Amino acid sequence: MSDMTDKILWADDEIDLLKPHILFLKAKGYEVTTVSNGRDALDALENEPYSLILLDENMPGISGLETLALINRSHPDIPVIMITKSEEENIMDQAIGNQIADYLIKPVNPNQILLSIKKNLHSREIVATRASSEYQQDFMRISSLINTAASIQDWMDVYRELVRWELKLAETDNSMSEMLLMQKRDANSNFCKFVKRNYEDWVTGSEHPLMSHEIFRQRVFPLLDKGEKTCFILVDNFRLDQWKVVLPLVSEFFNVSEELYTTILPTSTQYARNAIFAGLMPLQIATMFPQYWVDEDEDEGLNIHEEKLVQTQLDRFRRKDRFQYTKLNDSSAGEKFVQSLSSSRDIPLQVLVLNFIDMLSHARTESKMIRELANSDAAYRSLTESWFRHSSAIDIFRRLAELGYKVILTTDHGTIRVDNPVKVVGDKNTNTNLRYKVGKNLSYNPKQVYEMHDPKRFGLPAPNLSSSFIYACNEDFFSYPNNYNYYVQYYTGTFQHGGISLQEMLVPLVTLTPKQ
């Protein structure tokens, strides 16, 4: 694993007694320079580059801890492994406080030192090699899962496996990432066929997976019935992989129970999110509460009636639960919400919408700088994790745990990074979403889409009697023939939603129980 460029500096006043260890490291391919005190170690560092330093804590002249402090000032990038006879806790604390790479207590055997060196110099390479090997071994098993998936639960298992490997391989510059991308595309292609075969039965029949309009009834109301203070948090555009990078931050305050649910189509705010809050399919909302339904061609905001829709759902089930609805678009609003929680702690249901990831998704389409920052799924996840860690979001979860709230955390849909344009022709009233279209006299290749010619059969209102819905699959996006090249260049590589993919339709639904 090592090569001759790995130079190690070993400072110990009993260095002559360590010759067997030095010979062992040299046999493993490391070049070892030895000195007997801290001052000589500092001089050696000025004259030659080193990959790692082994540093005795108890040396004459300047001590190991003093040497460590000086090394950190002049060469903070070089990992230091401190070796000492002392087991005193305060010395360990000082060493750790100075950000040592490892701490070994004498007597040490050569394999202990080798293990620490590998951990600090080669762990990334070792992990990458191991991950590649394990994924290659797992490839056929996952391919079999994809080819034999016959239920929505099977597809959830496939998606979890793909996300698990995506996160694992992303930790290193891994050569298997391209193979995983091909496997994700194969999975999405088969998943789209599965949805085409089954979606109408889900909407019209009694046998179906948990879907958007059932979330409150099946996950929120049972908590309220038990007398639990409950906070329902909807993070817009929140995929499973994004949840996974946020999970370690949330689990500091909560015990976590995680599942996936299946969003309705279209996987867009107007339809999926309104279905969650109303507890109804979109057609039912438009029929029962036309004042709260906004058609595709209207200028009014598509999600401005969410609080009223929640109230209609409570009323329909004859529930008297008091609730507070809050939509947060920035950190300052989040800070105000945190401050307000103490005074509203007697309200049994908090309904909270966090819009950051949705704004990030749109900004990535429109802003060149954000495109550069989020130029891949891994970068998109990283921005999500950074937002969560450094914004008021983490404070919201901390405060909810302190106040004893059970939290249902979910989203209305995910997103997919698109890169394949599919031509569609429609009239001026056709909607602008890139992953689904609704309109009359749409012209397209039917082999490339999922069609709904009778929207009402799928629980959807139709702007006109002859309106149809079509959905993009895989990584496709709809583009118009006019100004085609500009359109394709502008939207290729952006994150979109509305269509059919594992990323858009199978999304996290998490129950959080405070640890205290």
Side-chain angles (χ1 to χ4, degrees):
M1 191 61 62
S2 65
D3 56 49
M4 293 305 292
T5 62
D6 291 319
K7 295 183 178 180
I8 296 171
L9 177 63
W10 196 337
D12 193 306
D13 62 330
E14 297 177 328
I15 199 71
D16 290 342
L17 302 178
L18 297 168
K19 281 186 179 177
H21 297 63
I22 294 164
L23 290 172
F24 175 80
L25 292 179
K26 286 183 176 179
K28 293 293 181 181
Y30 296 99
E31 185 178 323
V32 183
T33 299
T34 61
V35 294
S36 58
N37 59 73
R39 180 55 60 194
D40 287 350
L42 293 167
D43 290 342
L45 283 171
E46 294 305 313
N47 295 323
E48 200 169 347
Y50 290 94
S51 303
L52 179 140
I53 301 166
L54 297 167
L55 183 64
D56 184 27
E57 186 273 321
N58 187 19
M59 293 185 293
I62 59 174
S63 70
L65 286 173
E66 291 170 325
T67 305
L68 174 62
L70 293 168
I71 290 171
N72 281 343
R73 285 183 206 167
S74 59
H75 298 85
D77 56 316
I78 304 178
V80 178
I81 300 170
M82 181 156 276
I83 304 174
T84 177
K85 290 177 181 176
S86 174
E87 295 187 39
E88 291 181 30
E89 190 174 349
N90 72 309
I91 291 178
M92 292 186 195
D93 288 346
Q94 289 183 65
I96 292 168
N98 276 313
Q99 297 180 315
I100 56 165
D102 209 347
Y103 191 96
L104 303 177
I105 297 174
K106 290 181 178 180
V108 291
N109 66 51
N111 275 317
Q112 273 182 290
I113 295 173
L114 178 64
L115 179 62
S116 187
I117 290 171
K118 280 194 169 190
K119 184 172 71 177
N120 285 285
L121 289 186
H122 311 299
S123 62
R124 189 176 179 86
E125 184 182 347
I126 292 169
V127 167
T129 302
R130 180 68 182 269
S132 294
S133 174
E134 288 180 355
Y135 174 63
Q136 284 178 300
Q137 293 171 25
D138 217 16
F139 179 86
M140 292 307 297
R141 182 184 68 86
I142 296 172
S143 292
S144 177
L145 288 178
I146 292 169
N147 292 327
T148 59
S151 69
I152 194 65
Q153 190 57 55
D154 291 342
W155 280 110
M156 289 177 178
D157 292 341
V158 166
Y159 186 38
R160 285 191 182 98
E161 284 294 288
L162 292 171
V163 168
R164 181 174 73 86
W165 276 114
E166 184 174 10
L167 295 174
K168 193 168 185 176
L169 296 177
E171 292 173 0
T172 59
D173 298 326
N174 204 290
S175 58
M176 292 294 105
S177 296
E178 191 63 33
M179 186 182 294
L180 177 64
L181 181 61
M182 290 171 59
Q183 197 161 49
K184 281 171 62 180
R185 286 173 175 161
D186 183 39
N188 265 327
S189 178
N190 284 3
F191 178 68
C192 189
K193 294 172 186 173
F194 171 79
V195 171
K196 288 180 180 181
R197 290 194 303 269
N198 292 280
Y199 189 79
E200 185 174 355
D201 290 339
W202 293 346
V203 175
T204 59
S206 56
E207 293 281 327
H208 59 265
L210 178 63
M211 299 182 79
S212 309
H213 57 296
E214 300 168 314
I215 299 297
F216 264 71
R217 180 163 55 86
Q218 296 201 23
R219 294 297 181 269
V220 177
F221 292 165
L223 295 181
L224 294 170
D225 291 340
K226 293 176 185 176
E228 301 269 15
K229 283 195 305 183
T230 304
C231 183
F232 178 83
I233 299 180
L234 187 146
V235 182
D236 202 359
N237 279 10
F238 197 41
R239 301 189 315 203
L240 178 61
D241 60 328
Q242 291 170 305
W243 155 244
K244 290 295 189 183
V245 298
V246 166
L247 169 59
L249 303 175
V250 174
S251 61
E252 183 179 342
F253 317 115
F254 291 94
N255 294 316
V256 177
S257 174
E258 176 192 301
E259 59 183 316
L260 298 174
Y261 86 88
T262 307
T263 68
I264 66 165
L265 294 173
T267 49
S268 68
T269 298
Q270 177 187 6
Y271 296 90
R273 195 199 292 184
N274 285 338
I276 290 173
F277 289 131
L280 297 167
M281 289 294 284
L283 177 60
Q284 294 172 302
I285 302 173
T287 302
M288 296 168 64
F289 306 103
Q291 69 274 32
Y292 301 148
W293 182 258
V294 182
D295 284 326
E296 292 272 5
D297 56 358
E298 294 182 37
D299 293 330
E300 192 176 2
L302 300 179
N303 57 342
I304 61 172
H305 301 301
E306 290 169 356
E307 183 174 6
K308 294 169 185 172
L309 290 174
V310 173
Q311 188 63 61
T312 66
Q313 183 168 187
L314 293 171
D315 293 342
R316 205 168 63 257
F317 287 100
R318 296 187 174 89
R319 302 190 65 93
K320 303 299 182 184
D321 312 283
R322 288 189 303 134
F323 76 97
Q324 177 174 289
Y325 169 89
T326 311
K327 184 183 292 185
L328 304 180
N329 293 318
D330 55 45
S331 260
S332 62
E335 290 161 9
K336 289 178 184 175
F337 176 77
V338 172
Q339 293 166 7
S340 74
L341 273 173
S342 296
S343 59
S344 61
R345 61 198 301 174
D346 61 330
I347 297 176
L349 175 60
Q350 296 284 348
V351 177
L352 192 60
V353 175
L354 301 182
N355 260 354
F356 172 82
I357 300 176
D358 183 52
M359 291 188 293
L360 173 63
S361 175
H362 291 302
R364 197 204 172 280
T365 301
E366 296 158 10
S367 164
K368 187 176 180 181
M369 182 185 75
I370 300 295
R371 279 188 186 230
E372 290 297 320
L373 287 173
N375 62 359
S376 66
D377 285 317
Y380 196 42
R381 285 192 298 272
S382 179
L383 278 179
T384 303
E385 193 270 347
S386 181
W387 157 70
F388 197 93
R389 182 187 296 274
H390 300 294
S391 73
S392 57
I394 192 69
D395 297 323
I396 290 170
F397 282 88
R398 182 187 295 110
R399 187 61 179 145
L400 288 169
E402 291 169 354
L403 294 174
Y405 276 91
K406 271 263 185 97
V407 176
I408 300 295
L409 171 66
T410 191
T411 185
D412 46 357
H413 56 76
T415 59
I416 186 169
R417 191 169 184 267
V418 297
D419 65 8
N420 183 50
V422 170
K423 287 185 180 179
V424 170
V425 178
D427 63 26
K428 63 179 182 180
N429 294 320
T430 304
N431 67 313
T432 58
N433 189 286
L434 300 186
R435 291 280 291 170
Y436 80 94
K437 295 293 180 189
V438 53
K440 53 185 180 179
N441 302 319
L442 296 174
S443 176
Y444 51 86
N445 180 349
K447 294 181 179 179
Q448 295 178 303
V449 304
Y450 175 37
E451 303 168 294
M452 291 180 183
H453 290 303
D454 184 3
K456 291 185 178 181
R457 286 185 58 78
F458 299 85
L460 299 174
N464 297 283
L465 288 175
S466 57
S467 291
S468 296
F469 282 76
I470 60 169
Y471 301 90
C473 297
N474 310 315
E475 296 170 355
D476 298 347
F477 66 97
F478 294 135
S479 58
Y480 296 110
N482 311 359
N483 211 3
Y484 180 79
N485 291 332
Y486 170 80
Y487 198 82
V488 168
Q489 183 179 8
Y490 187 80
Y491 285 109
T492 295
T494 63
F495 290 90
Q496 303 294 335
H497 57 84
I500 302 173
S501 67
L502 294 164
Q503 295 94 317
E504 290 162 289
M505 288 191 72
L506 303 185
V507 292
L509 177 59
V510 184
T511 302
L512 304 173
T513 304
K515 282 188 171 178
Q516 64 194 41

